């Protein structure tokens, strides 16, 4: 959760462009619900989204990809010509990313992408569709001890326009998540903001991604159960624990709340006190400390209490360690993740909420987000 105090497959695409999935513009008015459209139209919009996103997944996978292979054949919807060109470019860039990752030692041998429509609304000749993508990728066994799979959910907003002759055109697709997934187009470089002040709070040093450091094993005599932290996170990365409140993206996000839960499962004890005191950390029946849910506040508590030690290199992280990200490099941290697996080579794999993700490699994060400042903590 963002700081509370700072407030601070190209073939499939081509086929879509020239034919298929009929979604008559006239159906937007017939049987339409307030703020939405009829079920058949919504399903067709969803299938168009599914084909495009599955095609993106296929571009980064060496093997077979399950998902939406073809658009609906009984209705008519298509990509606009500009969108068809854009998606062709996206697929080409994803193919290059696949080559880049494989050269660095990571590849995917299979994929499965499913898309569900969350909300559809029509305003005259314009339609907006929000969808949730659920994708699972199988890691190719290059070294032999990579995890079996990585999984994630991603959220997209699609724009459609009535194109005449009873058809709809897909004119745009926008990623709604702050952390782009591995099958997403490359993000643009963020505008670098002025560094935010931290007052008298301790400030963690930035962790370097390269070079690959010598391993720094964890202290096994802390009394903490690091595997229990990882097990908790991997159990609840997609199926949220109902014993805790969840914080959707519009309220700041659930990332630090989720990591706090995992740390507690592994032995971190409550430090009760005033909610805004950054030397305190606790969860209660109706509220919690700011440090339980706030990205920066968690860092301040963890450093003040000496429960963590900053790491110089991100690749020194072990199971149970924490990674934070500052996406726009303004000194205010934006996102919190937990290491739940580490291979023999030393690659940490992160599991996290808000952009619900299971065992994503540090390698893919650093490739996708080259401008991000990283902060690594030994717990």
């Amino acid at each position: 959760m963002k700081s509370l105090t700072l407030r601070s497959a190209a073939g499939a695409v081509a086929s879509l462009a020239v034919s298929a999935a009929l979604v008559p513009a006239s159906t937007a008015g017939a049987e339409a619900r307030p703020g939405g459209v009829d079920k058949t139209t919504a399903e067709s919009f969803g299938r168009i989204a599914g084909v495009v996103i599955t095609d993106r997944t296929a571009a980064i996978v060496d093997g077979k990809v399950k998902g939406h292979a073809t658009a609906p054949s009984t209705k008519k919807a298509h990509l606009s010509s500009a969108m068809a060109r854009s998606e062709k470019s996206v697929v080409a860039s994803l193919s290059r990313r696949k080559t880049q990752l494989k050269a660095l030692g990571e590849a995917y041998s299979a994929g499965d992408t499913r898309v569900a429509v969350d909300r559809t609304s029509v305003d005259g000749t314009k339609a907006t569709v929000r969808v949730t993508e659920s994708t699972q990728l199988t890691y190719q066994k290059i070294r032999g001890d990579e995890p079996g799979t990585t999984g994630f959910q991603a959220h997209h907003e699609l724009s459609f326009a009535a194109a005449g002759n009873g058809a709809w055109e897909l004119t745009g697709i926008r990623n709604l998540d702050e952390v782009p997934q591995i099958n997403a187009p490359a993000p643009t470089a963020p505008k670098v903001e002025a560094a935010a002040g931290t007052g008298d709070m301790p400030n963690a040093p930035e962790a370097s991604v390269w070079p690959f450091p010598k391993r720094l094993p964890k202290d096994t005599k802390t009394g903490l159960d690091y595997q229990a932290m990882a097990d908790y996170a991997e159990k609840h990365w997609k199926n949220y624990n109902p014993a805790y409140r969840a914080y959707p993206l519009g309220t700041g996000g659930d990332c630090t709340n989720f990591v706090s839960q995992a740390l507690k499962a592994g032995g971190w004890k409550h430090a009760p006190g005033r909610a805004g005191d950054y030397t305190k950390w606790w969860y209660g029946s109706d509220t919690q400390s700011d440090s339980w849910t706030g990205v920066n506040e968690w860092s301040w508590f963890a450093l003040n209490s000496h429960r963590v030690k900053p790491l110089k290199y991100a690749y020194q992280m072990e199971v149970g360690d924490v990674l934070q990200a500052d996406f726009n490099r303004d000194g205010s941290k934006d996102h919190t993740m937990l290491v739940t697996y580490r291979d023999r080579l030393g690659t940490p794999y992160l599991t996290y909420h808000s952009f619900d993700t299971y065992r994503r490699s540090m390698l893919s994060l650093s490739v996708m987000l080259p401008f991000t400042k990283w902060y690594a903590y030994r717990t």
Side-chain angles (χ1 to χ4, degrees):
M1 190 175 193
K2 182 64 174 176
S3 171
L4 299 175
T5 56
L6 295 179
R7 304 293 184 222
S8 26
V13 169
S15 67
L16 274 173
V18 297
S19 71
L22 279 176
V23 187
S26 59
T27 62
E31 303 177 37
R33 299 182 301 274
V37 294
D38 62 276
K39 182 179 179 181
T40 300
T41 302
E43 288 177 349
S44 297
F45 284 160
R47 290 193 66 186
I48 295 292
V51 172
V52 172
I53 296 170
T54 298
D55 201 44
R56 292 179 175 185
T57 300
I60 63 164
V61 172
D62 280 332
K64 184 177 180 180
V65 173
K66 297 179 181 179
H68 301 259
T70 59
S73 59
T74 58
K75 300 291 182 181
K76 181 181 177 186
H78 53 265
L79 276 68
S80 68
S81 57
M83 188 67 184
R85 290 192 298 271
S86 174
E87 279 304 304
K88 184 176 180 179
S89 177
V90 167
V91 167
S93 70
L94 291 171
S95 295
R96 292 192 294 271
R97 182 180 302 156
K98 176 176 70 174
T99 300
Q100 178 187 10
L101 281 169
K102 195 165 188 178
L104 293 170
E106 180 166 313
Y108 314 106
S109 60
D112 189 339
T113 290
R114 309 290 165 169
V115 173
V117 174
D118 300 321
R119 187 174 71 207
T120 302
S121 60
V122 173
D123 183 5
T125 60
K126 304 293 184 182
T128 301
V129 182
R130 289 200 172 188
V131 302
T132 295
E133 168 199 356
S134 298
T135 289
Q136 179 175 286
L137 302 173
T138 301
Y139 283 109
Q140 191 174 120
K141 295 299 183 181
I142 296 175
R143 295 180 299 278
D145 68 332
E146 293 90 342
T149 62
T150 179
F152 60 83
Q153 290 190 329
H155 306 87
H156 310 275
E157 183 176 88
L158 291 84
S159 299
F160 289 86
N165 298 321
W168 290 92
E169 283 188 338
L170 176 62
T171 58
I173 179 169
R174 182 168 66 95
N175 177 38
L176 299 177
D177 297 334
E178 198 169 14
V179 181
Q181 297 293 356
I182 196 62
N183 64 346
T188 57
K191 180 182 178 180
V192 178
E193 307 287 349
T198 60
D200 58 355
M201 291 296 106
N203 193 25
E206 184 179 354
S208 176
V209 175
W210 311 112
F212 211 93
K214 181 179 179 180
R215 184 174 185 179
L216 185 64
K218 291 177 79 82
D219 182 356
T220 59
K221 299 179 181 179
T222 62
L224 298 175
D225 188 337
Y226 301 110
Q227 190 57 51
M229 297 176 185
D231 291 345
Y232 180 93
E234 294 192 347
K235 179 179 180 180
H236 295 292
W237 76 271
K238 183 169 58 173
N239 300 310
Y240 284 36
N241 185 348
Y244 289 96
R245 293 178 290 277
Y247 297 90
L249 289 175
T251 62
D254 201 62
C255 61
T256 309
N257 177 42
F258 177 58
V259 169
S260 289
Q261 294 170 34
L263 293 171
K264 186 175 183 295
W268 273 37
K269 304 298 183 185
H270 282 174
R274 187 170 55 86
D277 182 344
Y278 305 136
T279 65
K280 309 302 179 184
W281 179 84
W282 50 269
Y283 183 91
S285 59
D286 56 355
T287 189
Q288 65 282 318
S289 66
D290 292 350
S291 59
W292 183 278
T293 54
V295 180
N296 291 284
E297 290 85 345
W298 179 89
S299 177
W300 296 334
F301 166 76
L303 293 169
N304 271 320
S305 64
H306 304 290
R307 293 194 186 187
V308 301
K309 176 183 178 181
L311 294 171
K312 186 176 181 180
Y313 300 102
Y315 278 87
Q316 288 177 319
M317 292 188 299
E318 303 269 341
V319 170
D321 288 340
V322 172
L323 179 71
Q324 292 189 313
D326 173 8
F327 299 124
N328 59 357
R329 303 178 66 85
D330 67 349
S332 176
K333 302 170 186 67
D334 303 295
H335 187 45
T336 308
M337 298 162 274
L338 186 79
V339 178
T340 59
Y341 185 82
R342 185 184 188 278
D343 65 23
R344 286 192 300 271
L345 181 63
T347 303
Y349 294 81
L350 289 302
T351 298
Y352 48 92
H353 266 190
S354 294
F355 326 101
D356 301 344
T357 300
Y358 169 78
R359 290 191 177 184
R360 183 170 184 180
S361 73
M362 185 70 229
L363 177 61
S364 74
L365 282 166
S366 62
V367 165
M368 285 292 291
L369 298 164
F371 306 103
T372 294
K373 284 186 176 182
W374 304 103
Y375 301 87
Y377 304 85
R378 169 58 44 85
T379 57

